[in-house]
Amino acid sequence: MRKKIISPGHRRQMARQVVAEGLCSGRAVCRILQLSRATYGYRQRVPSSAEAQLRQRLLALSTQHPRYGYRRITALLRREGWRVGKRQIQRLRRAEGLRVPPTKRKLCRRGTSTGLPTHATHRGQVWTWAFIADATVRGGALRMLTIVDEYTRECHVLRADRALRSRDVLHWLAAAIGEHGAPEYLRSDNGSEFIAKIVQQWLAANHIKTIYIEPGSPWQNGFVESFHGRFRDECLNREQLWTLTEDFRREYNHFRPHSRLGYASPAQFAAQRNPFPAPVGLRPPSAGNGQKQDVAITSTKIAD
C-alpha cells in the first residue's frame, strides 16, 4: 500500500512527479491534489553557512546521543552558545529523518499509591538506593548499586561488581557520605542487603532514618526507578560491557540535561540551590533540645 499524501511537501513532490511523467498539466494536478499553485512552485532556498554548521552539529550530537530527543539536543546546543528554539531543532531533526524510537509503554497501575508522603524539599534530605542487574559480554553477572539524591537527582554512587553484600553497601554509602554529607533519610525496598542487622545498626548509630517501601511496590521508589530507566536505555542497552565503569554516572551528573530540572544537569542544579559545598562527614546527633551535641562522628569504612 502507498502512503497517504498528507503534508504539502509530499503533495508537491507527487505533483511534480506526475507533471514530469506527462500525465497532466500543473494546473490540473494542483486542482486534483488540492495543492496551492504557490506551494507547487516553491523552490527551497540554499541554506546559509550558519545553518549548515548548525545542521552539522545537530547531526553530531544526535549521533553521539541517539536516545536524546529534540528537547535535550536543544538544551545541549544552547549550552554551547547556539541561539536556537526547540521547534527549529524538531523541524531539522525531522528533515534529517532523526527520531527516538518509542519505548514500550507499560500499563498504568490502578488505585492510589500507598507510599509514604515524604518528599525531599532540599538537598541531602532524602537519598534513595537500590540495585540493578545486567551482564557483561562474556556472560558474567553484574550487580550495580545506585544511590541518588531525590531533590537534585545527583547520582552519588554507581558501583558495579560481581556481587555486592551488606558490607559492600555500607562501604560505598560511607564513601558517598564522606564526599556529600549525610542524608536525613534513606529510601529503599526490603532487599536483604538493606534490612540486614549490620546495616540497621550502622544507620541507627549514625542517626540516619530509613524509609522502606511496601513489598512489590516499586512506584513508591520512583526516583531511583526513573534513574534506572535512563541508565538502562542510554547506557546498558547501547554499550557492550567488557569491564566495570562509572562513565555513565559522571556524564549523568555533569552533562546530561534533566527535564525535571529545567534541562540543567544535576550538578548544575545542585550548585544553583547550594553554592557552598556540603559538610564532609556525618552530622552530629541532636541532644533533643534543638542543640547539637559535641560528639564527632565520622564515616567508617567497612572492611571487606
Side-chain angles (χ1 to χ4, degrees), residues 53-115:
Q53 292 176 3
L54 173 60
R55 189 183 295 265
Q56 184 178 3
R57 185 56 183 157
L58 169 66
L59 290 174
L61 288 175
S62 299
T63 302
Q64 184 180 359
H65 307 284
R67 295 300 301 177
Y68 284 10
Y70 69 93
R71 292 185 178 88
R72 285 196 172 87
I73 295 297
T74 302
L76 294 180
L77 288 171
R78 287 175 177 173
R79 192 181 296 175
E80 294 178 1
W82 293 91
R83 300 180 63 181
V84 294
K86 62 179 182 179
R87 296 306 175 192
Q88 176 187 6
I89 299 305
Q90 184 184 36
R91 175 177 56 81
L92 292 176
R93 281 174 56 87
R94 285 178 176 176
E96 295 293 339
L98 299 172
R99 65 186 292 267
V100 179
T103 56
K104 185 178 180 180
R105 296 290 182 181
K106 296 181 180 180
L107 294 177
C108 296
R109 60 183 178 83
R110 304 283 192 262
T112 305
S113 174
T114 57

Side-chain angles (χ1 to χ4, degrees), residues 11 13 22-23 54 85 91 102 112 137 145-146 166 170 174 206 258 275 280 293 295:
R11 288 203 297 269
Q13 179 183 359
L23 299 178
L54 173 60
R91 175 177 56 81
T112 305
V137 174
L145 171 68
T146 57
S166 299
L170 286 183
N206 293 298
H258 201 296
V280 177
Q293 296 179 2
V295 179

Side-chain angles (χ1 to χ4, degrees), residues 140-173:
L142 285 179
R143 286 198 88 195
M144 286 162 260
L145 171 68
T146 57
I147 301 179
V148 178
D149 188 310
E150 290 193 359
Y151 183 72
T152 65
R153 271 61 163 198
E154 286 181 286
C155 177
H156 294 324
V157 173
L158 180 53
R159 175 64 182 179
D161 211 328
R162 301 299 182 185
L164 290 169
R165 292 173 287 274
S166 299
R167 290 182 176 273
D168 304 317
V169 167
L170 286 183
H171 168 66
W172 292 108
L173 174 61

Side-chain angles (χ1 to χ4, degrees), residues 4-282:
K4 292 184 178 179
I5 305 175
I6 299 177
S7 67
H10 193 190
R11 288 203 297 269
R12 179 175 62 247
Q13 179 183 359
M14 296 300 298
R16 289 175 178 173
Q17 181 179 352
V18 169
V19 172
E21 294 176 358
L23 299 178
C24 62
S25 65
R27 289 179 180 272
V29 74
C30 288
R31 183 175 62 254
I32 294 172
L33 296 181
Q34 298 181 355
L35 182 67
S36 169
R37 293 294 303 279
T39 303
Y40 173 76
Y42 174 77
R43 293 294 185 272
Q44 186 177 6
R45 65 181 179 85
V46 178
S48 64
S49 59
E51 291 177 348
Q53 292 176 3
L54 173 60
R55 189 183 295 265
Q56 184 178 3
R57 185 56 183 157
L58 169 66
L59 290 174
L61 288 175
S62 299
T63 302
Q64 184 180 359
H65 307 284
R67 295 300 301 177
Y68 284 10
Y70 69 93
R71 292 185 178 88
R72 285 196 172 87
I73 295 297
T74 302
L76 294 180
L77 288 171
R78 287 175 177 173
R79 192 181 296 175
E80 294 178 1
W82 293 91
R83 300 180 63 181
V84 294
K86 62 179 182 179
R87 296 306 175 192
Q88 176 187 6
I89 299 305
Q90 184 184 36
R91 175 177 56 81
L92 292 176
R93 281 174 56 87
R94 285 178 176 176
E96 295 293 339
L98 299 172
R99 65 186 292 267
V100 179
T103 56
K104 185 178 180 180
R105 296 290 182 181
K106 296 181 180 180
L107 294 177
C108 296
R109 60 183 178 83
R110 304 283 192 262
T112 305
S113 174
T114 57
L116 296 174
T118 303
H119 296 283
T121 59
H122 56 270
R123 182 183 185 185
Q125 183 184 18
V126 182
W127 286 5
T128 175
W129 55 349
F131 285 104
I132 182 172
D134 204 80
T136 63
V137 174
R138 298 185 178 93
L142 285 179
R143 286 198 88 195
M144 286 162 260
L145 171 68
T146 57
I147 301 179
V148 178
D149 188 310
E150 290 193 359
Y151 183 72
T152 65
R153 271 61 163 198
E154 286 181 286
C155 177
H156 294 324
V157 173
L158 180 53
R159 175 64 182 179
D161 211 328
R162 301 299 182 185
L164 290 169
R165 292 173 287 274
S166 299
R167 290 182 176 273
D168 304 317
V169 167
L170 286 183
H171 168 66
W172 292 108
L173 174 61
I177 289 175
E179 182 177 357
H180 303 282
E184 299 177 26
Y185 297 90
L186 270 174
R187 192 193 307 272
S188 69
D189 56 25
N190 293 271
S192 58
E193 296 85 359
F194 303 135
I195 63 175
K197 288 185 178 180
I198 184 175
V199 175
Q200 297 291 326
Q201 294 171 357
W202 192 89
L203 295 176
N206 293 298
H207 304 276
I208 299 177
K209 301 177 183 178
T210 56
I211 304 174
Y212 291 107
I213 66 173
E214 294 186 0
S217 305
W219 58 84
Q220 296 179 7
N221 204 7
F223 290 97
V224 77
E225 294 295 334
S226 176
F227 174 77
H228 285 174
R230 304 286 75 74
F231 179 40
R232 188 171 293 282
D233 185 39
E234 298 173 12
C235 181
L236 297 181
N237 291 346
R238 290 183 54 207
E239 306 293 341
Q240 291 185 340
L241 301 180
W242 295 89
T243 57
L244 311 182
T245 177
E246 269 198 338
D247 293 342
F248 180 80
R249 187 179 75 90
R250 288 189 291 270
E251 178 178 346
Y252 179 88
N253 283 342
H254 299 281
F255 179 78
R256 183 185 185 275
H258 201 296
S259 59
R260 291 292 184 177
L261 305 179
Y263 290 97
S265 67
Q268 291 174 336
F269 181 80
Q272 294 169 1
R273 291 300 184 274
N274 186 6
F276 302 101
V280 177
L282 297 174

